[in-house]
Amino acid sequence: MSARRRAAIVGVAESEVGKTPHLTVLSQQAIASRAALAEAGLDRDDVDALFVAGGWSWAPALALAEYLGLRPRYLDGTNIGGSSFEAHLGHAAAAIEAGRIDVALIAYGSTQRSDRTRNAPRPATLGEQFERPYGLPLPVGAYALAANRYLHQYGVTSEQLAEVAVNTREWARLNPNAYHRDPLTVDDVLASPMICEPLHKLDCCLVTDGGGAVVVAASDRWADVATRPVVVLGHGESTTHHTIANMPDLTVTGAARSGPAALGMAGVTHDDIDVLEIYDSFTITVLLTLESLGFCKPGEAGELVGGGRTAPGGALPMNTNGGGLSYTHPGMYGIFLLIEAARQLRGDYAATDPRRQVPGAELALVHGTGGVLSSTSTVVLGRG
Amino acid sequence: MVVPDAETKPFWDGIATGELRIQRCPACEKAVFYPRAVCPHCFDGEPIWIRAAGTGTVYSYTVAHRAFGEFAAQAPFTVALVDLDEGVRMMTRIVDARPGEVRIGARVRLEMTTLTPDGPQLPCFRLVEQA
Ligand SMILES: [Zn+2]
């Protein structure tokens, strides 16, 4: 038994997404966690590690463990924004490979849409006292600053930003749970209200409720599970700044570090990747991420996504659930990227909706971005 | 809304008297902003306060068409990241600019002003008239 112990995603689930005033952040996570464990064919008491991120408690891992009736012996409350869950998966895989844990539960829940707390004023302390007094709405304003710099530096256009939203909507049209399923054109995006120049309303992610859970198991347990394992092949994470004024270069994200780290650990290259799940908080997030990951040269991501290349049937399938732009975005979206990647690699859609299934998907790159382009976490997943 | 602390009080005290204060590290001589106890560049020196000249260049900007709370009625307004000539970047408001007038690379100079009726004096900037 000298083979290296590996980690794999063995169960995934969403709770209810959209508008869920009848649920709480805790019930969201309990519903998703039970469903993900049921899919895996594992019991709650198989879980020995809990990974949670959220701003709804001073210690969300403790609050959720109590609510679920869990007594984990390994806790990780890493919160680096929307990319937290890719980080959690990397941390869980490391703990599994080190022999510290056997089954990890990663959970997230939000009632952001029902609460309408996203823009509630709070005092500006620490570094925020040098940004909040100027009235810039966040996070959108920070992404707009990056977008304007990017358009200026490379001559990329608002139309090219809009193509990200258009391609993503094409995927959402195939997802019965997507918030927006109507057809969308570049003109529609440009005609939507300007929020912060150059970002229009339809360049921005949704504000929804929702929850999700991912169950990760050590290879010793794969024989017991009910699903085809989705193996964690590589992981990397990074941070470049917290507040946008401290981002060293507004056109280069931490993906430039976390991407190569994840690909290198997996021993694969860009050309090997069959499906991309890239955090799309805003259209600009996707273009900057693709460039920083190295899928094209700086300034060329507009051409990379152009002509529907990332839409269904395109050469570079991306955000195949409809993304944060059209499917759902409950505050921190990263867990939904993992859920969709796992389903694509298992071939779940082949039977239910072949148009949504990326044919022959064996390798996925999942990339979370958190804060105001502040953190990144990249995971390479493979069909087991 | 702004809650100065022991580390940032000299900055806000300076603003109240019309002075934009940043820091410089005596060990590596690099400028530092926002204020810190230990230099983030060399992690050796303890930065000391200096007065910034109040001149800089627009690194990026956005025009906010939607804003919240006390800022809602001010939209549209221009928020920028300005590179001060001393070598640090700060967020600020560009005041008295006509729509479409602010450009990346434009030269700007300090203008202390308040943005809300009960708000603090803030280091804002205005475009420098080009000869
Ligand atoms: Zn120094």
Side-chain angles (χ1 to χ4, degrees), chain B residues 25 28 39 42:
Chain B
C25 171
C28 70
C39 173
C42 67

Side-chain angles (χ1 to χ4, degrees), chain B residues 24-32 38-47:
Chain B
R24 189 179 298 283
C25 171
C28 70
E29 309 214 315
K30 286 185 176 160
V32 175
V38 179
C39 173
H41 305 295
C42 67
F43 210 65
D44 180 18
E46 296 173 9

Side-chain angles (χ1 to χ4, degrees), chain A residues 124 129 145 148-149 195 197, chain B residues 1 8 12 59-62 65:
Chain A
Q129 61 194 287
L145 287 165
N148 251 354
R149 179 74 201 184
I195 305 296
E197 294 180 18
Chain B
M1 180 176 184
T8 64
W12 292 110
Y59 173 64
S60 193
Y61 72 94
T62 180
H65 290 254

Side-chain angles (χ1 to χ4, degrees), chain A residues 34-229:
Chain A
R34 186 178 58 182
L37 283 164
E39 183 186 76
L42 293 172
D43 294 327
R44 179 197 62 182
D45 296 339
D46 290 318
V47 174
D48 58 5
L50 181 63
F51 295 72
V52 185
W56 45 270
S57 164
W58 69 270
L62 304 186
L64 186 65
E66 177 184 279
Y67 185 96
L68 297 178
L70 266 181
R71 297 292 180 269
R73 56 187 176 86
Y74 196 104
L75 291 144
D76 186 328
T78 301
N79 186 357
I80 55 172
S83 61
S84 297
F85 313 95
E86 285 69 39
H88 291 168
L89 182 57
H91 300 178
I96 283 172
E97 289 169 17
R100 297 286 303 277
I101 63 173
D102 294 323
V103 177
L105 172 65
I106 305 171
Y108 178 67
S110 169
T111 49
Q112 175 195 70
R113 184 172 188 90
S114 296
D115 297 344
R116 296 276 179 182
T117 58
R118 200 166 168 83
N119 293 295
R122 55 195 170 85
T125 59
L126 299 176
E128 288 182 341
Q129 61 194 287
F130 302 103
E131 302 208 336
R132 275 185 192 273
Y134 302 102
L136 187 68
L138 292 171
V140 59
Y143 284 84
L145 287 165
N148 251 354
R149 179 74 201 184
Y150 177 70
L151 299 192
H152 166 83
Q153 206 163 303
Y154 293 111
V156 175
T157 65
S158 291
E159 285 79 0
Q160 288 176 299
L161 284 175
E163 286 195 72
V164 173
V166 170
N167 293 350
T168 307
R169 179 64 62 86
E170 288 301 308
W171 286 109
R173 297 186 67 199
L174 303 176
N175 180 356
N177 293 324
Y179 200 83
H180 284 311
R181 304 188 65 208
D182 298 332
L184 184 72
T185 67
V186 166
D187 287 344
D188 293 335
V189 177
L190 299 185
S192 66
M194 186 63 84
I195 305 296
C196 278
E197 294 180 18
L199 300 179
H200 306 79
K201 186 167 193 284
L202 292 175
D203 285 298
C204 303
C205 63
L206 302 161
V207 177
T208 67
D209 301 332
V214 171
V215 178
V216 189
S219 33
D220 335 41
R221 303 294 303 270
W222 294 355
D224 309 335
V225 301
T227 57
R228 184 172 190 165

Side-chain angles (χ1 to χ4, degrees), chain B residues 12-106:
Chain B
W12 292 110
D13 287 349
I15 296 301
T17 63
E19 197 175 302
L20 176 58
R21 294 176 185 166
I22 60 172
Q23 292 178 311
R24 189 179 298 283
C25 171
C28 70
E29 309 214 315
K30 286 185 176 160
V32 175
F33 184 78
Y34 50 89
R36 275 124 154 144
V38 179
C39 173
H41 305 295
C42 67
F43 210 65
D44 180 18
E46 296 173 9
I48 53 170
W49 289 98
I50 60 168
R51 179 177 185 163
T55 51
T57 305
V58 174
Y59 173 64
S60 193
Y61 72 94
T62 180
V63 179
H65 290 254
R66 301 279 179 88
F68 298 95
E70 56 192 341
F71 301 105
Q74 297 174 10
F77 55 85
T78 304
V79 172
L81 297 179
V82 166
D83 287 336
L84 299 186
D85 291 343
E86 287 81 2
V88 292
R89 184 173 296 159
M90 61 182 292
M91 184 178 285
T92 187
R93 190 82 77 87
I94 306 295
V95 295
D96 293 340
R98 290 186 295 275
E101 201 179 17
V102 177
R103 291 272 180 269
I104 288 171

Side-chain angles (χ1 to χ4, degrees), chain A residues 158-175 178 180-189 202-203 275-278 280 282-283 286-287 290 300-327 333 340 344 355-356 358:
Chain A
S158 291
E159 285 79 0
Q160 288 176 299
L161 284 175
E163 286 195 72
V164 173
V166 170
N167 293 350
T168 307
R169 179 64 62 86
E170 288 301 308
W171 286 109
R173 297 186 67 199
L174 303 176
N175 180 356
H180 284 311
R181 304 188 65 208
D182 298 332
L184 184 72
T185 67
V186 166
D187 287 344
D188 293 335
V189 177
L202 292 175
D203 285 298
V275 57
L276 287 168
E277 306 295 345
I278 304 288
D280 58 344
F282 301 90
T283 52
V286 175
L287 295 190
L290 288 171
E300 293 182 355
E303 289 146 55
L304 186 68
V305 305
R309 285 195 76 226
T310 60
L316 196 62
M318 180 179 74
N319 297 349
T320 50
N321 56 2
L325 290 167
S326 285
Y327 161 45
Y333 169 73
E340 175 65 12
Q344 286 289 351
R355 293 171 304 169
R356 202 177 155 191
V358 174

